[in-house]
């Protein structure tokens, strides 16, 4: 049996229960929702209740005053970047995440240790860490954000609870199972994306880095043979290879007769770039842009200079080189 608290449910224990149920040892486990300590004692594993964190006893609560564990404190081999206090979801992921991911790997193709390490970190960063932060009341920014996101996964899980002024005859156990189904869709999408779409792109980015001097002597321009997710891979590989912020632009074919030249951002999710395209081009298009730049085949340059287009590889590369040398 998996024990958790009754009453209003939250995304962290819902996600924790889902992850446990995907493990062979808990796949048929009943979920017992109670705060009765005697009943919880009979459970094989308990999450988000009980005021105790003890991996040997399989007790995973994070509400006790002295609790300050983070993914980095429990898993120091992952580095010191993970500083958000863990929720029950984070605790379960910290202790069982690798086993869970191997269960979700394509049949007959278990992860190599290196791929498992990469996927483990990315899944934490892209879904579990958010649940940890929200449940522990950690704000996204130091200042008040300019707008609020109200449709995130935790909010959608919370909406499944009975409203305060509704008739209190709803089967909360049934609603809890609906919440598990909701988080399962999000979690499995995230895992499958990183396995099937994101991870295969890593080798392409690594090859482009290794071959960058063949594209331009500066080594600051990468060429991708096709369009794929590259930003996080680039930052990870730059760190691993000790390249710093050397690479400024990437070029790739977006579709036939359409190439893109994109400035590398200062962070994977940022619109601020290391070196934007030539400022003289910002917001200019087509023939006017070709005339201004002296480069044939120009299609556009974004008004902030983070991306531009050309009809040919030669033109896209020329736009990158010109921007690299621009003051």
């Amino acid at each position: 049996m998996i024990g958790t608290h009754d009453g209003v449910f939250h995304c962290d224990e819902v996600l924790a229960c889902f992850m446990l149920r995907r493990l062979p040892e808990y796949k048929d486990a009943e979920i017992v929702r109670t705060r009765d300590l005697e009943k919880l004692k009979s459970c094989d594993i308990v999450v988000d209740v009980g005021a105790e964190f003890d991996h040997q006893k399989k007790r995973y609560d994070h509400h006790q005053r002295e609790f300050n564990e983070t993914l980095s404190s429990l898993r120091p081999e992952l580095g010191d970047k993970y500083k958000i206090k863990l929720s029950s979801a984070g605790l379960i992921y910290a202790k069982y995440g690798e086993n869970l991911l191997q269960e979700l790997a394509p049949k007959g193709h278990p992860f190599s240790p290196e791929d498992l390490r990469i996927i483990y970190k990315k899944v934490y960063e892209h879904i579990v860490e958010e649940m940890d932060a929200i449940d522990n009341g950690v704000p996204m920014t130091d200042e008040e954000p300019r707008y609020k996101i109200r449709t995130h996964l935790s909010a959608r899980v919370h909406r499944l609870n009975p409203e305060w002024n509704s008739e209190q005859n709803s089967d909360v156990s049934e609603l809890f199972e609906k919440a598990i189904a909701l988080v399962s869709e999000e979690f499995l999408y995230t895992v499958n994306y990183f396995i099937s779409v994101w991870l295969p792109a890593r080798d392409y980015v690594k090859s482009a880095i290794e071959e960058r001097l063949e594209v331009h002597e500066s080594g600051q321009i990468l060429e991708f043979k096709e369009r794929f997710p590259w930003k996080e891979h680039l930052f990870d590989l730059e760190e691993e290879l000790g390249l710093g912020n050397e690479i400024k632009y990437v070029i790739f074919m977006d579709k036939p007769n359409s190439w893109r030249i994109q400035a590398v951002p200062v962070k994977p999710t940022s619109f601020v770039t290391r070196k934007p395209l030539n400022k003289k081009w910002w917001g200019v298009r087509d023939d006017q842009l070709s005339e201004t730049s002296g480069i044939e085949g120009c299609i556009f340059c974004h008004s902030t200079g983070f991306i531009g287009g050309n009809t040919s590889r030669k033109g896209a590369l020329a736009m990158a080189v010109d921007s690299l040398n621009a003051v």
Side-chain angles (χ1 to χ4, degrees):
M1 290 189 293
I2 301 169
T4 190
H5 63 81
D6 56 9
V8 174
F9 51 80
H10 310 100
C11 198
D12 73 309
E13 78 266 17
V14 173
L15 180 56
C17 289
F18 160 72
M19 289 190 287
L20 288 172
R21 274 188 168 175
R22 293 303 298 241
L23 297 171
E25 58 266 41
Y26 299 113
K27 68 183 179 67
D28 297 318
E30 176 189 358
I31 295 176
V32 176
R33 300 185 68 240
T34 181
R35 293 185 185 274
D36 186 322
L37 294 180
E38 290 303 313
K39 291 181 179 179
L40 290 172
K41 285 180 182 178
S42 67
C43 294
D44 301 290
I45 189 167
V46 176
V47 299
D48 212 42
V49 69
E52 183 180 16
F53 167 49
D54 188 324
H55 181 52
Q56 297 302 317
K57 295 165 63 177
K58 292 184 168 44
R59 296 301 184 258
Y60 303 93
D61 196 9
H62 66 109
H63 295 101
Q64 48 275 31
R65 178 179 295 182
E66 67 276 11
F67 182 90
N68 286 298
E69 299 288 2
T70 66
L71 187 62
S72 286
S73 70
L74 292 183
R75 303 291 304 275
E77 73 276 13
L78 299 177
D80 62 358
K81 65 181 287 188
Y82 304 110
K83 298 179 180 179
I84 301 293
K85 189 167 84 167
L86 297 175
S87 67
S88 61
L91 281 171
I92 293 302
Y93 190 77
K95 295 300 185 181
Y96 301 92
E98 284 102 340
N99 291 342
L100 171 63
L101 292 173
Q102 288 288 23
E103 287 295 319
L104 298 175
K107 287 188 176 181
H109 296 86
F111 292 120
S112 68
E114 174 64 11
D115 285 351
L116 180 59
R117 180 187 68 83
I118 293 169
I119 294 291
Y120 178 86
K121 291 168 69 173
K122 289 303 174 185
V123 171
Y124 180 76
E125 292 167 9
H126 281 256
I127 187 166
V128 183
E129 187 173 41
E130 177 186 326
M131 306 311 132
D132 289 343
I134 290 174
D135 198 74
N136 284 304
V138 180
M140 292 176 63
T141 62
D142 292 331
E143 298 178 357
E144 186 69 18
R146 296 176 63 183
Y147 63 91
K148 298 187 186 303
I149 300 173
R150 305 180 189 277
T151 56
H152 51 73
L153 183 58
S154 288
R156 284 180 280 140
V157 166
H158 183 74
R159 288 202 298 262
L160 290 173
N161 283 283
E163 299 293 352
W164 70 273
N165 57 351
S166 64
E167 293 185 13
Q168 298 298 310
N169 57 3
S170 301
D171 185 345
V172 180
S173 295
E174 183 179 335
L175 296 175
F176 191 84
E177 291 294 337
K178 285 185 178 181
I180 287 179
L182 179 62
V183 301
S184 72
E185 182 179 357
E186 197 83 18
F187 187 87
L188 292 175
Y189 169 82
T190 301
V191 172
N192 289 331
Y193 170 79
F194 281 109
I195 292 173
S196 304
V197 179
W198 184 85
L199 186 61
R202 179 180 169 89
D203 290 339
Y204 288 95
V205 177
K206 189 172 184 179
S207 294
I209 292 173
E210 292 169 348
E211 298 166 3
R212 67 191 187 284
L213 291 175
E214 298 173 19
V215 177
H216 189 256
E217 61 187 8
S218 69
Q220 297 182 70
I221 302 169
L222 299 186
E223 179 182 353
F224 298 143
K225 305 302 182 184
E226 53 189 304
R227 189 170 179 262
F228 51 76
W230 57 269
K231 293 178 185 176
E232 288 184 288
H233 289 305
L234 176 60
F235 279 78
D236 290 344
L237 289 166
E238 281 182 328
E239 184 178 353
E240 290 175 22
L241 299 172
L243 296 179
N245 297 329
E246 178 182 332
I247 296 162
K248 302 299 190 298
Y249 305 107
V250 302
I251 63 172
F252 56 90
M253 188 170 70
D254 184 51
K255 58 184 178 180
N257 301 315
S258 178
W259 282 73
R260 293 287 182 263
I261 180 258
Q262 189 165 350
V264 175
V266 295
K267 295 180 180 179
T269 58
S270 176
F271 284 107
V272 179
T273 61
R274 293 175 177 174
K275 186 171 176 52
L277 300 184
N278 192 324
K279 196 166 186 177
K280 296 177 181 178
W281 307 344
W282 293 12
V284 185
R285 300 186 61 86
D286 303 322
D287 290 343
Q288 184 181 355
L289 179 55
S290 291
E291 183 178 343
T292 301
S293 65
I295 300 170
E296 292 184 3
C298 290
I299 300 172
F300 77 99
C301 179
H302 192 272
S303 60
T304 61
F306 87 94
I307 193 169
N310 196 286
T311 57
S312 71
R313 175 193 180 277
K314 180 180 178 181
L317 180 57
M319 291 175 74
V321 174
D322 187 290
S323 297
L324 194 62
N325 296 324
V327 178

